[in-house]
Amino acid sequence: MKIFSTLIFFLSLNVALSQINYRILDQNNTSVFLSNEGTVFTDFITPSAGYEVPNGSGLNTIYSTQFWFAGKEIDGTIHSSLGGYPGNGTDIFKGPFSTTNSYTDPSYQTAWGVSMWDICQVDIDNFILWWECMNGQSTVGCENVIAPTAEILEKIYTWPAHGDLNQGESYFLAPFFDRNQDGVYNPTDGDYPIIKGCCAVYMIQNDAAAAHSVSIGPAIGIETHYMFYQYSNWDYINDVTFVDVLTINKGTTNYTEFSTGIVMDADIGNYADDYTGCDSTNNLMLFYNADNNDETGYSLNPPAIGVVSLENNMSSCAPFILYPSSNEIWNLMDGKKTDGTDWQNPSGIPTNYVYSGNPNNPLEWSEISVISPPGDRKSIMTNKHMFFNSGDSIFESYAILYARNGTNLQNAQAIIDYSISVKQFYNTVSNLPCINGTFGLEEIVENNAISIYPNPTSGIFKIAQKSDIGFTTEIYDYSGNLIISKSILNSSEMYVDLSKYGRGLYILKITNEIESFVERIVLE
């Protein structure tokens, strides 16, 4: 099957290759091929699978991934939007939604012909320090600051913070820090992109620029923002890729039912010997090898992978064989078979979660317990959101996990365990800033040279260090937004006031000419 698909890719890509924009996200042990063609994790240049773990090994766990959307009007009319392949049709197009339908305008095409932006936190941090030193805002670390390269400056200055109102685009697009709070992104004023992780790739797409050639149905009218990001550290997070998905209903249609889905064709090395499953308790879609030998791929003790929904509870999870036609999409995203009938577990009870048992337990429902023929596996995880009216937005986040610590079934169990841990990571410390390109909980350490009190605080707290070399303080809220930035020269103390902000957890980053460290601040 994969050979046939590759041949189709090769034939269709002859014309389309010159138009493909892509980025490689490889900040940690995973190397990810990202394009804005409606399908990610497929290397359209080769073409081949494009989700390599370990980084540099030549071994891949995923052949392709798409994000699907479907809405139903009150009269039953279904609108859907599916990712596409170059040369083979798509429902997804580059750039933001345009209320004036300016998609063919040369200025729109020029502005959004790529619609992919990649940048790393270490380059943002260096830009911040350089700008503050050049503008007299800081002297700490200025003796060692290096001016950003032309390439990095271009990434910062071309960050898609704003759309063109004359083209019917939203004014605010990608997130940014607005130093002077004038509502205008201008790096000359010290503004800069806000990302997650140590490195990130940002994409903006819409489903209204042209007729849908995959689902063959009416457009939904959505604008979608994707941020793919990775952390570099020492544990299983070093094998994880995260993706945030913001979906905005920019059209005029209200939907009484709306579903979003992540669709994965997971080829763990050799595509012909895989299994899949679901864990609704942990919002996990699971893929693993059917036996302990992945022939022509990872060989013995092959890895397992999983996709975890971090923001929303999944409403269904099921495998499918062929990509659905337009009249089958809603059924599949509604937790049904493509023909509209219910899935049933071994007891004959209808279910939205297929192979929902732990494959390590022979008494639970899995492809192991029912002895399914191994093969190529595609599955869809769906989140149902019900009403999705004009102007509404949906935020989702996913983590793509990898485990290779033992046998094929031990690795499947590790993915289940990681699905719990990654949710805790996401909810508690995922927005800690990367320092010098790395991230790790060891950065949150007791620093004997610096004290912070009171913590927890009702608003005002004091930062004190033993020396008077001065330091810079940055405070982030738990959405990753920088809300306070202060520097002090030739002093050992600083007072910070958080009283105008809401109760909760904040991240404090302190930098002096010797070191940097991060700490949690609790505002009561």
Side-chain angles (χ1 to χ4, degrees):
M1 174 183 169
K2 294 302 173 183
I3 295 176
F4 177 71
S5 297
T6 299
L7 289 174
I8 292 176
F9 271 169
F10 180 77
L11 293 173
S12 63
L13 286 179
N14 286 336
V15 176
L17 271 177
S18 62
Q19 302 172 0
I20 293 176
N21 306 117
Y22 70 93
R23 300 289 187 272
I24 304 296
L25 182 60
D26 58 356
Q27 172 66 10
N28 58 18
N29 195 39
T30 301
S31 179
V32 178
F33 190 101
L34 297 170
S35 80
N36 56 7
E37 300 296 328
T39 294
V40 294
F41 309 153
T42 297
D43 182 346
F44 289 120
I45 306 302
T46 311
S48 62
Y51 196 93
E52 183 186 52
V53 197
N55 193 339
S57 67
L59 298 170
N60 291 270
T61 58
I62 302 172
Y63 188 72
S64 67
T65 295
Q66 296 181 349
F67 297 91
W68 289 7
F69 309 89
K72 181 181 288 188
E73 292 188 61
I74 192 170
D75 65 358
T77 302
I78 293 173
H79 302 239
S80 55
S81 176
L82 278 61
Y85 295 95
N88 287 340
T90 187
D91 298 346
I92 298 295
F93 311 98
K94 303 169 188 174
F97 186 94
S98 169
T99 59
T100 57
N101 199 32
S102 300
Y103 305 109
T104 59
D105 189 286
S107 61
Y108 183 96
Q109 293 291 319
T110 299
W112 307 109
V114 176
S115 294
M116 299 186 76
W117 300 266
D118 64 304
I119 196 165
C120 293
Q121 187 63 48
V122 65
D123 295 320
I124 296 173
D125 289 343
N126 184 66
F127 170 80
I128 295 170
L129 177 60
W130 171 77
W131 186 92
E132 290 179 345
C133 292
M134 293 293 291
N135 288 273
Q137 303 260 335
S138 177
T139 60
V140 178
C142 293
E143 65 277 7
N144 297 318
V145 70
I146 300 174
T149 65
E151 178 185 8
I152 297 303
L153 286 175
E154 181 181 11
K155 290 183 178 183
I156 290 174
Y157 272 82
T158 58
W159 184 248
H162 298 305
D164 186 347
L165 294 176
N166 293 324
Q167 298 283 352
E169 303 162 16
S170 295
Y171 181 67
F172 289 106
L173 294 175
F176 67 95
F177 173 70
D178 188 2
R179 186 178 292 271
N180 61 7
Q181 298 183 350
D182 64 353
V184 179
Y185 180 70
N186 187 358
T188 303
D189 293 336
D191 301 344
Y192 53 84
I194 291 177
I195 66 169
K196 289 185 177 181
C198 296
C199 289
V201 174
Y202 201 84
M203 297 192 298
I204 302 176
Q205 299 176 336
N206 73 87
D207 85 320
H212 288 193
S213 51
V214 179
S215 62
I216 320 296
I220 300 172
I222 53 174
E223 178 177 293
T224 49
H225 294 231
Y226 300 92
M227 183 179 289
F228 295 86
Y229 56 101
Q230 296 173 339
Y231 299 92
S232 177
N233 75 347
W234 75 101
D235 63 4
Y236 77 97
I237 294 296
N238 202 47
D239 297 321
V240 177
T241 298
F242 293 84
V243 55
D244 289 350
V245 184
L246 175 63
T247 307
I248 310 167
N249 185 348
K250 303 290 289 188
T252 58
T253 303
N254 297 325
Y255 299 97
T256 55
E257 296 181 65
F258 194 81
S259 294
T260 62
I262 181 169
V263 176
M264 183 168 288
D265 183 350
D267 295 354
I268 303 175
N270 173 20
Y271 73 89
D273 61 351
D274 292 342
Y275 278 163
T276 188
C278 306
D279 180 351
S280 60
T281 302
N282 295 309
N283 298 308
L284 170 68
M285 183 166 65
L286 173 68
F287 299 89
Y288 56 100
N289 216 71
D291 57 31
N292 200 41
N293 186 14
D294 180 46
E295 298 85 0
T296 72
Y298 284 91
S299 299
L300 295 176
N301 300 319
I305 65 169
V307 184
V308 182
S309 177
L310 299 170
E311 285 283 342
N312 301 280
N313 293 326
M314 66 180 185
S315 57
S316 63
C317 174
F320 64 97
I321 298 175
L322 299 176
Y323 285 94
S325 60
S326 57
N327 62 331
E328 298 171 332
I329 294 167
W330 182 260
N331 292 334
L332 194 59
M333 298 190 72
D334 200 32
K336 312 289 187 183
K337 297 180 181 180
T338 52
D339 64 4
T341 60
D342 289 327
W343 288 97
Q344 294 183 345
N345 66 20
S347 300
I349 300 173
T351 180
N352 288 348
Y353 308 101
V354 181
Y355 304 124
S356 56
N358 188 323
N360 287 276
N361 187 339
L363 300 180
E364 295 186 8
W365 183 32
S366 72
E367 293 209 75
I368 290 284
S369 64
V370 300
I371 318 178
S372 296
D376 188 21
R377 291 295 185 267
K378 303 181 189 71
S379 290
I380 177 171
M381 173 198 293
T382 302
N383 297 330
K384 182 165 286 189
H385 302 277
M386 300 309 293
F387 294 102
F388 189 49
N389 295 326
S390 178
D392 288 350
S393 62
I394 295 170
F395 178 76
E396 297 170 295
S397 189
Y398 302 95
I400 300 164
L401 309 177
Y402 169 95
R404 195 182 188 186
N405 305 319
T407 66
N408 62 317
L409 293 183
Q410 288 172 334
N411 293 331
Q413 181 62 54
I415 292 294
I416 296 171
D417 296 338
Y418 288 166
S419 69
I420 301 171
S421 300
V422 77
K423 186 67 177 291
Q424 296 172 337
F425 171 89
Y426 177 82
N427 287 335
T428 57
V429 297
S430 65
N431 279 312
L432 286 176
C434 288
I435 296 177
N436 297 323
T438 62
F439 175 92
L441 299 183
E442 74 271 23
E443 293 167 352
I444 309 174
V445 296
E446 188 68 30
N447 190 299
N448 293 325
I450 299 177
S451 59
I452 303 167
Y453 57 90
N455 185 23
T457 177
S458 59
I460 298 175
F461 63 93
K462 179 180 179 181
I463 304 170
Q465 60 179 4
K466 291 183 177 179
S467 62
D468 58 359
I469 57 177
F471 56 92
T472 296
T473 294
E474 293 179 342
I475 298 180
Y476 298 80
D477 65 21
Y478 246 60
S479 295
N481 301 309
L482 179 62
I483 59 173
I484 294 177
S485 180
K486 296 178 63 175
S487 296
I488 193 167
L489 304 177
N490 304 319
S491 178
S492 61
E493 296 182 351
M494 176 190 294
Y495 287 90
V496 179
D497 187 359
L498 279 174
S499 57
K500 71 175 183 178
Y501 299 96
R503 292 187 300 175
L505 195 59
Y506 295 82
I507 301 302
L508 168 68
K509 178 182 177 182
I510 298 175
T511 304
N512 59 34
E513 65 183 27
I514 300 174
E515 61 184 341
S516 296
F517 81 104
V518 235
E519 182 60 276
R520 298 184 185 93
I521 299 294
V522 178
L523 179 60
E524 296 181 322

